[in-house]
Amino acid sequence: LDYYPPTVQNILDQDSLKWIFVGGKGGVGKTTTSCSIGVLLSAVRESVLIVSTDPAHNLSDAFCQKFTHEPTLVNGFDNLYCMEVESSKMAQDMQPSEAAQAAMGMSGEGLGG
C-alpha cells in the first residue's frame, strides 16, 4: 500500500486524481477549503469544477459572483468553474414519473407503497 502525505502539495501532484470530496459539520471550513483547493488546482489542471450542494450558496459569497446549477466560469479564471445545486431539487427531479412508477409496478405513494 502506497503512503501519500496529507498535504496540499500531494493533492496537486496527483495526476490521476479526478474527484475531491470535502465534508464535515457546519462551520468547519468546507467552502473555504473547497475554494482554496479549486484555485490551487486550476494552476496545474486543464479544468476544475467546484460543486456545492449547500443550500446557503456559499460559493457565490466566496467568489462574489452568482452561481447556478450550471457550471459557470469564475471571474478572473479561464479554467475554474463553480456550480451550486439544490440537493432537495435534485432529489425531486430524480423521482420517477407516474408513468415510470406504473411501468415498475410502484404505487404513487413512494417506495414500498
Side-chain angles (χ1 to χ4, degrees):
L1 186 67
D2 291 331
Y3 169 76
Y4 297 105
T7 64
V8 173
Q9 189 61 53
N10 180 50
I11 293 171
L12 299 176
D13 292 342
Q14 296 298 317
D15 292 334
S16 63
L17 191 61
K18 301 291 181 204
W19 299 92
I20 299 172
F21 292 90
V22 178
K25 289 182 165 188
V28 298
K30 296 177 295 294
T31 299
T32 302
T33 300
S34 299
C35 292
S36 296
I37 291 171
V39 166
L40 291 170
L41 281 172
S42 72
V44 297
R45 298 290 178 99
E46 184 176 328
S47 184
V48 176
L49 173 64
I50 303 172
V51 179
S52 175
T53 58
D54 185 347
H57 300 306
N58 290 325
L59 287 180
S60 290
D61 294 337
F63 287 108
C64 299
Q65 176 181 348
K66 177 67 178 150
F67 298 110
T68 66
H69 65 279
E70 296 288 330
T72 303
L73 188 62
V74 176
N75 292 335
F77 293 85
D78 59 5
N79 65 338
L80 177 61
Y81 299 82
C82 286
M83 60 188 285
E84 294 178 319
V85 295
E86 295 186 32
S87 55
S88 60
K89 177 148 177 39
M90 282 178 32
Q92 184 179 17
D93 290 347
M94 293 176 62
Q95 293 296 318
S97 67
E98 288 183 29
Q101 288 179 5
M104 294 184 293
M106 297 169 57
S107 73
E109 299 174 6
L111 295 177

